[in-house]
Amino acid sequence: MAVPVIIFVLCALLFEALLALFPTFNADNLGPGMPGLEFARAWRPLINTSSNSFLYWRPDFLHSLIATNLPWLGQNSELIVASALGTIGAALLFYIVGDPKERPLRAALQSTCAALVWTLTLRTLFGFDHVIIGCMTWLPWLVLGVVWSLRRGSLNTSSFIVILFLTWRLASSANQLAFGLAILAWVLALACCDRHLWPTANSRAGILMLISLALSLLPLAQAPYVNTQGFPVDSHLVSHDGLPAMVRALVGESPRIPFINRLWLKESLKDCSVIFFALSAIAFYLCHRRRAVSKLMWYALGLALIILFDTLPIEHVAQIAPLAALGRIIPGYFLYPCAYLGLATLPLLLLLASPQRALLSTICLGALALVPPTSGGYMQLALGKLVDLASQRALAEYSLLNASEQQTLQPVIYSPSYTILNAIGLWPAFEQDRIKHTDFMPVRAEEVSITASTTDPRYSTSAMLDRDEATRWATGRASQHGDEWIYIKFAKPIQLSALELDVAGYFTDFPRGVRLSALTPCPEANLSPEARGNVHELVHYWPWEGALEISKFGFPYFQPQHQVRIFLPKVETIECLLVEQTGFAPQHDWSVAELRLGLVQ
Amino acid sequence: MSRALRHTGNVLLSFGLGLSLLTALAGSLSFWSSEHPDLFPAARYGMIPGVLLVALGLLVIKSSDTQLRLSAAGFAWTLLPLFLIDWLTRSYNLFQGPFIRGELILGLFAAFLILNARGWRALRIFSLCSLALLACAFLFESQGRILSSDDHPSFFYRLSLLKSQFPQIPFYYPYWNAGIDQRDFFATGSLNIFLLLWPIIRFFDLAHSYNILIAITLFCLMPVSVYTASRISGGRPTAALFSAVLAICSSLLWYRWALKYGTMGFVASASLIPLNLALLNRLIFEPQRWNSKFTFLTIASLCLMLLWGPSGLVFIPLALMAAPKIPQLFKLPHFRHVALGVLLLSLPWITIFYSVSQVGKFVSTKRPSYEMMADEKSPQYNQGKPSTSSDNKSVSPRQTLKVLRETSVSTNPLLILLLVPGLAALRRRQRGSWVATTVWLIVLGTTLSQVKPQLELDRMLVILSICSSIPVALALQRLFISSVYNRTHLFAARLPAYFALAFFLTGPFATSFLLRNRGYDTYSFRTASSEKLVQMIRDNAGDGRVVFTGFVLHDFSHGHLAPLPLLTGVPSVASSPFHDQWSYKELFPSEAFSQGVGAVEKLLDLYNSTLVVGHEERWVNFLRENKDHYALVGEALPFTVFRRKQANPSYFVQGQGQILKQNDNSIELTLSSAEAVLKFRYFPFLRSNLCNVQGVPSELGFQFIKLSACPLNETIKIESCGTWCRVLQGGS
């Protein structure tokens, strides 16, 4: 046993050291500790860039302690340490489950290879992701501990101590996600053992299982809530998912408004989930041919299938699929996309289930080459590129601020409003007062001249200025194609903060994307793109999510989409303004019942 | 003929009956979601497939010469069409869709695994964990804040007074409205919880333990009661656990009455009804199986249950069926013991109740239902007129069906669809009384509730859903066992068991959703704003009273104002601190407002008001505009507090003296004149240790207390005469 262990440890350390040399690995962003009680300070706000979500996370103190003594690992030292521990645990688990009585050295090498492939898969998909690494570090260890204890036949004190210690480690590193992982660990462990070894409610193993699961629940009581109380009920932070009502958790915390962008998630994960399903199907087929389909292989196929059901179908169907349902009933799992944990666990499961780990490892390596990063490109190993660093606009802008500005902005950026700041930039955080205190005033007809892209006699542009919400201008095409515009020329330059295109009662006729541009020089009437002269884009909201607003606690949010108040990043002196509708809506016109100018008080 | 074919007829028949019941209750129905076109625009069309299946089933039974039996599996098949139609997407559903279908699908997988593995232990552990889950869900939602929805503040208030005054009830309470007759302990049933949980109430601060009392009632008393009832009715431990889980996941309406409306007297009594039904069934119909340890349990349980009066209505069918057997039953010692014990313990308080609480007047009065009152957005409130529903004394079949349908949507589908086979699964001797009770509760809840809406008899349907958990659990157990040991090994034969178990497993999660306040029906906790109001009153009231202008209903953290004097220590005046006003009624007559500040000041003087609180816009504007008379203290939304600048606080209209103390049940004072008129409300039952007590008219619409022949400078105490004194006086 000593030789394999030495092999595992050395390989894991070497591999992680290599990874540490690649600074391009994506890392999510852990904010500073929270003020208040001692235990609360350990919890830190985390912008999880892989999933584009926000949660509170507590770094594991043991990983931090080890990393302190290994500064040469660089800025992600804690995560590298954790990752190495997970790799060693996975290697040991593969070794033990593989029953290496014959050819132990070969088994050790196979297990090492499999564990490294698993780690490489995680890095490729998620990079240095606090949540994934935290969850996966001690999962294989707990499975290993349970398998080892059950196979010994009887549970003595040392077994209790080992399993409870490993559960505690899992709880410390996986935090509020530990409960589901503990259940998974026990399920995997039981699948690795013969049925007669399974615990029953009265047996010592059964009691141990219940204590272990109860222990894993403790972080839930400690994890801070993601506070969304300041946001109105009809507001939103992420794109509307098309569902008739907001999905809420049945057990555990559920935010007042959603802040996980399900549409973005599905777009990011669907290719991965198809590839992994194909991989699982191939592995299943290979095992079936050898008449060696184990329970674990069924579980792997099942997991791949439920991940697929979560990422491929429309949201109405995805929400009644098993993964979404599990997220609603397992405490702590509603605030983090379950598909990510599923994708992280699936390779482990496949490698555990397959007797031909070497072959499967090779297949996995090949499959990784096919995993497309969001920045595009096939046939390349996209290291840690599920989320392109360049897409983290808010973090990039934040890193350029000075210390005092960062200090001011810290609570806003490390909040569920991060998704908004990432979409449109940091300026709403700086312009809070202006956004709150902008007055929207109607315009007098003599102060402006308005022309539009369409001249339907039913809908005159003067309807925008008549102070009558029953009348409107509209394109008249009953659809939006992205080529509609309104050109506003002011009698004299104005200091513009925002523009309101009130749809009044025509709730569905809001623009699907809107761009405001200033033209120099100002033509009398905007006739064609060639006649526009110099076009300076002021702001572009695509897609249009709704009017920007600031909550009473100072966090930006979007109002409903039919509230069309377009804020500029800064007050601009405008003589003429081009308003372009840049989205697509096959069944809804673009209407403006009243035009109002947003002026600072 | 094969066994499967012999059973097919019964399955078809039962499925047809279940389908007919489902479509009758669903009314018009569409596939998957109500956004889709109707499959059947009315129930009469939807029932056609069900009727056809019944006919087919009967044909098969006749041709195969099989005995006609109701099949739980057949009824359980109805869960599949229920899943597929728009039932789960209707509002105010216990299983609130559309996404609950995901949990049901997950439950189906789990059911497959559990039943295939014969995981009875797993089901038992799940049942116990469900109780813990729901209790934790409620306590987590509270986050240490006290429940404050609708009547919960009033219930808290009553428990607080019972803590200090029991058994000397009713009594005179000077802290509300210049003195009130505090007697509604009997009518509201608050005594049952007080007596049941007395140790906790006695030894712990009620403000911190109130939520615990509620949690114990909902998640301990009720499931234990149902579990015990199920065991007494012949259920095995597993079935009894099933019934406990079904009971706590019985209906959205249960939690509406318990958490949103705060009718805890009803809740405690309803929790005990299944136990009493089971005990009395055994006592009357199976006396040979009586155990002496049941005697004390029956006496205690019955007495506590009857503390909420209408609970007795549930037992009318049982009483009628038992009537012919009374002579024989009286020969049995345990029957005599139970009857005597209940009579001895209940008669005293029933006597007090009927004489003091004016029950007859309440029953005959024209008042609307509680639910109408609880909906403060009701136009009746805005228009200031009583509900028209109270005038309707006729029974409308349409209304009956409407009530039945609305209640069904909010009820656990297992309790609806498996009730019939569940009743068939009961022991023969008990079956008749359970069936009669079921029918009677349906009649009470749907039909008689229209005649007397003020009795809120629609709650009987909620009681029915809880009681149904016992027979339904028996049906479930039979269904699971027969599917596991099914010799045909047909997957299709096991499907109904999987469906039923899926719904059973999903029930606690669906209920947790309600308890976490994520459904359509929400309940409230005390807010920081209310705490701020309490502090402002405490700090600024001085020696006088605080008067709430306008009409106050659910403005104190969405509940009544009742506990305010307990929290502030300041006597208070408001139009409706409890749930006793049936229409909008201001504290002051409307002409006072129109006559201006002088008239208002006069009334405030009569109340000895030092603080005035407004929450309606016209009153707040009035108080703000008259700056010479009222100084703004602060806001605790929705209330704005003002201090009276020209108040000259005194509790004396005539005479001189000093109010030494206002206790929970008395007033202590000294006089420096032989006679005095006090700004306290007079009641004929008031007595004084040293003076003569009379009433004199006042401009406030009630009589003030007049003391005469009083010694000077001695401590005079005014309080209610004793309980039996009041009874002998005819409740006055």
Side-chain angles (χ1 to χ4, degrees):
Chain A
M1 187 68 180
V3 170
V5 169
I6 292 168
I7 292 173
F8 300 149
V9 171
L10 283 176
C11 288
L13 288 176
L14 186 65
F15 184 72
E16 297 295 344
L18 277 173
L19 293 182
L21 295 177
F22 286 89
T24 55
F25 266 116
N26 174 49
D28 51 9
N29 206 292
L30 200 58
M34 294 168 60
L37 298 174
E38 186 63 41
F39 79 89
R41 282 201 285 272
W43 291 89
R44 295 157 67 176
L46 174 68
I47 300 167
N48 187 245
T49 49
S50 299
S51 63
N52 203 22
S53 63
F54 174 85
L55 66 163
Y56 287 100
W57 198 252
R58 182 179 53 186
D60 189 292
F61 78 95
L62 183 65
H63 303 162
S64 307
L65 193 64
I66 299 172
T68 310
N69 296 308
L70 301 170
W72 51 272
L73 288 175
Q75 63 173 358
N76 292 317
S77 54
E78 281 180 39
L79 296 174
I80 291 172
V81 164
S83 180
L85 283 169
T87 308
I88 297 168
L92 276 169
L93 176 64
F94 294 143
Y95 183 76
I96 296 291
V97 168
D99 201 14
K101 289 198 180 73
E102 301 170 11
R103 300 188 188 178
L105 195 59
R106 182 182 167 185
L109 287 171
Q110 274 188 343
S111 303
T112 308
C113 185
L116 294 178
V117 164
W118 178 56
T119 302
L120 183 63
T121 308
L122 294 185
R123 291 296 81 70
T124 305
L125 288 177
F126 307 107
F128 281 113
D129 184 304
H130 279 83
V131 177
I132 295 296
I133 291 177
C135 291
M136 292 298 124
T137 301
W138 293 98
L139 175 67
W141 286 99
L142 183 57
V143 179
L144 175 66
V146 175
V147 169
W148 170 74
S149 299
L150 289 178
R151 282 185 176 178
R152 286 178 65 189
S154 65
L155 290 177
N156 55 16
T157 310
S158 59
S159 304
F160 266 76
I161 292 171
V162 163
I163 290 175
L164 292 182
F165 169 78
L166 292 172
T167 307
W168 169 61
R169 291 274 75 244
L170 181 69
S172 295
S173 69
N175 294 316
Q176 59 266 48
L177 301 175
F179 181 61
L181 290 168
I183 295 174
L184 180 65
W186 276 91
V187 168
L188 295 181
L190 293 177
C192 293
C193 299
D194 293 330
R195 196 177 171 130
H196 72 275
L197 294 174
W198 285 14
T200 62
N202 292 334
S203 69
R204 297 181 81 184
I207 294 167
L208 178 60
M209 184 171 75
L210 291 173
I211 296 173
S212 169
L213 293 178
L215 193 61
S216 67
L217 276 172
L218 287 179
L220 272 171
Q222 298 168 336
Y225 299 153
V226 178
N227 188 1
T228 51
Q229 288 302 315
F231 298 113
V233 171
D234 62 351
S235 65
H236 61 278
L237 299 169
V238 296
S239 300
H240 184 49
D241 50 18
L243 298 175
M246 183 183 154
V247 182
R248 311 288 301 272
L250 271 61
V251 179
E253 282 312 303
S254 184
R256 190 180 169 89
I257 58 173
F259 54 83
I260 294 179
N261 192 338
R262 286 277 308 167
L263 299 180
W264 180 91
L265 250 155
K266 287 164 65 159
E267 194 56 41
S268 301
L269 290 180
K270 63 180 181 185
D271 293 335
C272 282
S273 57
V274 168
I275 290 169
F276 274 98
F277 175 73
L279 206 62
S280 306
I282 292 169
F284 184 88
Y285 174 71
L286 290 174
C287 290
H288 179 68
R289 278 192 65 175
R290 296 170 60 92
R291 296 181 190 279
V293 178
S294 63
K295 261 197 194 61
L296 285 169
M297 188 51 74
W298 278 107
Y299 291 170
L301 189 64
L303 181 60
L305 201 59
I306 65 175
I307 294 172
L308 203 64
F309 273 128
D310 190 61
T311 54
L312 272 192
I314 58 172
E315 195 61 8
H316 283 79
V317 175
Q319 283 298 334
I320 63 170
L323 211 55
L326 280 171
R328 290 194 293 269
I329 64 172
I330 300 179
Y333 274 71
F334 191 71
L335 300 178
Y336 184 78
C338 295
Y340 279 82
L341 286 178
L343 277 176
T345 312
L346 186 55
L348 178 71
L349 202 50
L350 278 173
L351 291 165
L352 201 59
S354 171
Q356 294 286 345
R357 283 194 193 86
L359 176 61
L360 195 61
S361 303
T362 311
I363 295 172
C364 283
L365 271 170
L368 283 177
L370 294 173
V371 171
T374 55
S375 55
Y378 287 80
M379 301 304 290
Q380 60 173 313
L381 276 178
L383 299 181
K385 289 280 187 188
L386 238 195
V387 175
D388 187 355
L389 261 178
S391 73
Q392 295 306 307
R393 171 183 179 175
L395 284 175
E397 286 182 31
Y398 182 74
S399 64
L400 297 175
L401 301 175
N402 61 46
S404 127
E405 285 173 331
Q406 285 189 350
Q407 180 93 4
T408 310
L409 217 57
Q410 213 171 65
V412 182
I413 202 164
Y414 288 102
S415 74
S417 293
Y418 171 80
T419 56
I420 292 181
L421 300 177
N422 199 38
I424 63 176
L426 291 187
W427 63 265
F430 290 115
E431 300 287 333
Q432 288 190 25
D433 283 339
R434 177 170 67 90
I435 293 169
K436 281 183 193 172
H437 299 120
T438 294
D439 278 333
F440 288 88
M441 313 296 293
V443 187
R444 285 203 292 262
E446 56 270 22
E447 291 175 354
V448 293
S449 72
I450 302 181
T451 50
S453 55
T454 56
T455 52
D456 191 319
R458 295 173 294 168
Y459 306 113
S460 165
T461 52
S462 60
M464 293 189 232
L465 308 172
D466 63 2
R467 306 192 190 196
D468 180 2
E469 289 186 350
T471 62
R472 59 170 171 145
W473 168 84
T475 62
R477 297 196 282 181
S479 58
Q480 298 177 28
H481 299 275
D483 58 357
E484 300 88 0
W485 51 263
I486 298 170
Y487 175 65
I488 307 167
K489 189 171 187 307
F490 299 99
K492 55 182 180 178
I494 58 163
Q495 297 278 313
L496 191 67
S497 169
L499 185 73
E500 182 175 5
L501 306 174
D502 188 1
V503 300
Y506 307 96
F507 296 116
T508 54
D509 286 4
F510 54 88
R512 275 25 181 198
V514 65
R515 175 165 52 216
L516 300 188
S517 307
L519 306 184
T520 50
C522 291
E524 282 306 312
N526 195 6
L527 303 172
S528 64
E530 296 78 29
R532 287 177 187 172
N534 211 356
V535 179
H536 166 54
E537 181 183 297
L538 299 172
V539 72
H540 186 194
Y541 291 92
W542 191 91
W544 172 251
E545 297 286 3
L548 202 54
E549 188 51 86
I550 307 293
S551 76
K552 61 182 178 181
F553 299 122
F555 297 102
Y557 64 89
F558 289 125
Q559 292 184 325
Q561 284 174 297
H562 63 266
Q563 304 267 14
V564 188
R565 291 182 169 184
I566 309 157
F567 278 91
L568 301 178
K570 56 183 175 136
V571 177
E572 300 274 0
T573 303
I574 304 288
E575 199 178 333
C576 53
L577 190 67
L578 178 64
V579 182
E580 295 172 276
Q581 197 292 119
T582 57
F584 178 72
Q587 292 174 351
H588 297 290
D589 209 341
W590 178 29
S591 301
V592 179
E594 285 301 308
L595 181 82
R596 296 188 191 94
L597 302 177
L599 307 169
V600 183
Q601 286 177 3
Chain B
M1 181 161 297
S2 74
R3 186 186 168 121
L5 190 58
R6 281 202 298 273
H7 286 160
T8 301
N10 286 320
V11 171
L12 280 173
L13 168 72
S14 304
F15 181 39
L17 287 172
L19 199 58
S20 304
L21 177 64
L22 175 65
T23 47
L25 292 174
S28 65
L29 54 92
S30 45
F31 175 72
W32 201 257
S33 159
S34 47
E35 292 166 359
H36 297 139
D38 286 344
L39 278 175
F40 297 106
R44 56 183 177 274
Y45 303 112
M47 288 176 72
I48 293 172
V51 169
L52 287 173
L53 281 168
V54 169
L56 183 63
L58 287 170
L59 201 64
V60 172
I61 288 169
K62 191 175 177 193
S63 63
S64 63
D65 205 20
T66 316
Q67 195 178 7
L68 193 152
R69 279 174 193 263
L70 291 173
S71 161
F75 279 95
W77 268 108
T78 320
L79 292 167
L80 178 60
L82 184 140
F83 179 89
L84 293 172
I85 62 174
D86 63 331
W87 180 279
L88 295 173
T89 62
R90 296 184 183 187
S91 303
Y92 299 100
N93 202 323
L94 177 68
F95 287 75
Q96 189 59 66
F99 307 120
I100 196 72
R101 288 186 173 110
E103 281 77 3
L104 287 167
I105 292 171
L106 208 57
L108 197 62
F109 287 132
F112 173 78
L113 294 172
I114 290 172
L115 287 179
N116 277 3
R118 297 178 191 179
W120 309 122
R121 272 199 188 126
L123 283 177
R124 285 195 287 270
I125 293 173
F126 173 81
S127 301
L128 291 170
C129 290
S130 299
L131 302 178
L133 169 71
L134 296 184
C136 288
F138 169 69
L139 293 172
F140 263 107
E141 183 63 18
S142 71
Q143 294 181 9
R145 301 167 297 169
I146 189 171
L147 262 174
S148 187
S149 217
D150 203 333
D151 249 5
H152 275 292
S154 311
F155 195 74
F156 169 80
Y157 158 82
R158 289 183 196 113
L159 284 183
S160 300
L161 290 179
L162 281 172
K163 183 175 178 176
S164 63
Q165 300 304 314
F166 186 82
Q168 302 297 328
I169 55 172
F171 55 90
Y172 180 71
Y173 185 67
Y175 274 90
W176 260 120
N177 291 352
I180 56 171
D181 179 15
Q182 191 57 57
R183 64 181 183 201
D184 59 1
F185 306 108
F186 306 103
T188 57
S190 34
L191 279 169
N192 54 16
I193 287 202
F194 175 75
L195 293 171
L196 262 171
L197 301 173
W198 178 83
I200 298 176
I201 296 171
R202 169 72 176 83
F203 294 108
F204 294 91
D205 180 12
L206 203 54
H208 296 119
S209 61
Y210 184 76
N211 286 356
I212 303 290
L213 299 178
I214 305 301
I216 290 175
T217 307
L218 289 175
F219 307 115
C220 188
L221 173 68
M222 213 262 269
V224 167
S225 163
V226 171
Y227 178 90
T228 311
S230 179
R231 294 286 282 134
I232 292 170
S233 300
R236 292 183 191 169
T238 306
L241 270 176
F242 288 169
S243 63
V245 173
L246 286 171
I248 57 169
C249 306
S250 58
S251 169
L252 175 150
L253 300 175
W254 172 245
Y255 292 101
R256 180 186 289 174
W257 284 101
L259 298 176
K260 184 177 178 182
Y261 295 161
T263 52
M264 294 310 298
F266 154 69
V267 166
S269 283
S271 302
L272 294 171
I273 286 174
L275 178 60
N276 288 317
L277 269 175
L279 286 167
L280 289 176
N281 262 302
R282 182 167 277 202
L283 182 66
I284 293 166
F285 300 109
E286 296 176 317
Q288 71 281 7
R289 301 179 69 173
W290 186 257
N291 192 318
S292 58
K293 64 187 176 194
F294 290 157
T295 304
F296 175 74
L297 179 64
T298 309
I299 294 171
S301 177
L302 271 174
C303 291
L304 287 169
M305 182 200 74
L306 288 172
L307 285 168
W308 180 69
S311 60
L313 292 172
V314 176
F315 297 87
I316 289 177
L318 195 61
L320 290 173
M321 291 175 76
K325 293 178 159 221
I326 293 287
Q328 295 154 339
L329 289 169
F330 254 106
K331 292 176 186 170
L332 301 168
H334 47 261
F335 186 87
R336 290 198 302 270
H337 295 154
V338 168
L340 198 63
V342 171
L343 270 172
L344 282 176
L345 287 175
S346 301
L347 210 54
W349 74 261
I350 289 175
T351 312
I352 301 169
F353 174 42
Y354 273 97
S355 63
V356 165
S357 296
Q358 300 173 7
V359 171
K361 193 173 162 192
F362 172 76
V363 172
S364 61
T365 195
K366 288 182 183 180
R367 284 176 175 173
S369 68
Y370 192 110
E371 286 177 275
M372 182 68 81
M373 295 302 302
D375 180 9
E376 56 198 87
K377 293 197 181 85
S378 164
Q380 279 73 19
Y381 279 122
N382 297 326
Q383 293 162 16
K385 53 186 179 185
S387 163
T388 54
S389 67
S390 61
D391 298 329
N392 178 16
K393 287 192 175 175
S394 63
V395 174
S396 154
R398 189 182 287 264
Q399 179 67 16
T400 300
L401 195 57
K402 182 170 177 272
V403 169
L404 210 51
R405 284 178 175 166
E406 284 173 357
T407 308
S408 302
V409 168
S410 302
T411 304
N412 192 325
L414 290 174
L415 298 176
I416 300 171
L417 297 173
L418 292 180
L419 178 58
V420 171
L423 290 171
L426 288 167
R427 285 202 290 257
R428 189 186 292 260
R429 286 182 184 226
Q430 299 180 20
R431 203 178 295 156
S433 68
W434 277 93
V435 171
T437 304
T438 301
V439 172
W440 171 240
L441 287 173
I442 294 174
V443 167
L444 272 180
T446 57
T447 309
L448 292 180
S449 59
Q450 298 174 51
V451 177
K452 288 287 178 191
Q454 69 271 26
L455 295 181
E456 292 140 16
L457 291 173
D458 46 341
R459 288 187 271 190
M460 295 299 161
L461 295 174
V462 178
I463 293 173
L464 173 62
S465 67
I466 296 168
C467 295
S468 302
S469 62
I470 294 168
V472 168
L474 291 175
L476 275 179
Q477 188 183 37
R478 283 194 181 184
L479 183 63
F480 297 156
I481 289 174
S482 68
S483 77
V484 165
Y485 298 106
N486 189 342
R487 290 182 196 170
T488 64
H489 300 292
L490 280 176
F491 181 73
R494 298 184 178 189
L495 272 177
Y498 297 151
F499 293 150
L501 187 52
F503 272 85
F504 176 81
L505 294 173
T506 307
F509 297 107
T511 309
S512 170
F513 184 77
L514 295 180
L515 290 169
R516 293 308 303 263
N517 251 339
R518 291 164 190 167
Y520 285 98
D521 262 347
T522 57
Y523 57 98
S524 325
F525 298 92
R526 194 177 294 165
T527 60
S529 189
S530 297
E531 302 287 357
K532 189 179 170 190
L533 175 72
V534 166
Q535 194 61 44
M536 273 200 281
I537 293 174
R538 206 184 277 151
D539 294 342
N540 293 280
D543 291 332
R545 295 188 175 116
V546 57
V547 171
F548 285 80
T549 58
F551 177 69
V552 187
L553 187 65
H554 297 144
D555 301 282
F556 187 66
S557 295
H558 302 283
H560 292 287
L561 276 178
L564 199 65
L566 296 173
L567 301 172
T568 60
V570 174
S572 309
V573 180
S575 65
S576 177
F578 316 100
H579 213 121
D580 58 0
Q581 291 288 348
W582 314 112
S583 60
Y584 183 93
K585 186 182 172 191
E586 286 207 31
L587 178 67
F588 298 142
S590 53
E591 51 268 21
F593 187 85
S594 50
Q595 285 169 10
V597 66
V600 172
E601 279 286 289
K602 191 175 171 190
L603 293 171
L604 289 172
D605 277 336
L606 286 172
Y607 274 120
N608 189 28
S609 161
T610 48
L611 277 186
V612 186
V613 182
H615 71 288
E616 292 161 346
E617 194 181 341
R618 67 190 184 114
W619 274 107
V620 173
N621 290 340
F622 171 85
L623 295 167
R624 281 188 196 275
E625 283 160 12
N626 288 285
K627 291 189 173 55
D628 293 338
H629 292 87
Y630 311 105
L632 177 68
V633 172
E635 281 184 346
L637 294 176
F639 298 107
T640 309
V641 182
F642 296 85
R643 186 172 38 82
R644 288 184 69 209
K645 286 181 175 175
Q646 298 180 18
N648 194 6
S650 169
Y651 281 103
F652 291 84
V653 181
Q654 290 174 20
Q656 284 112 32
Q658 188 189 0
I659 302 291
L660 297 173
K661 215 166 35 162
Q662 295 183 53
N663 302 312
D664 284 347
N665 63 350
S666 62
I667 308 164
E668 291 178 26
L669 65 150
T670 57
L671 289 180
S672 50
S673 59
E675 285 189 357
V677 175
L678 306 176
K679 294 176 184 174
F680 284 91
R681 193 185 296 250
Y682 168 76
F683 288 95
F685 55 75
L686 287 176
R687 301 287 182 270
S688 167
N689 57 339
L690 295 172
C691 303
N692 296 330
V693 182
Q694 292 167 294
V696 292
S698 76
E699 289 180 46
L700 295 177
F702 55 85
Q703 291 184 321
F704 279 155
I705 294 175
K706 180 180 178 184
L707 298 175
S708 55
C710 299
L712 303 181
N713 301 317
E714 287 190 35
T715 302
I716 299 163
K717 194 170 183 181
I718 304 171
E719 60 186 345
S720 167
C721 75
T723 307
W724 290 106
C725 162
R726 289 191 57 178
V727 172
L728 291 171
Q729 284 182 357
S732 60

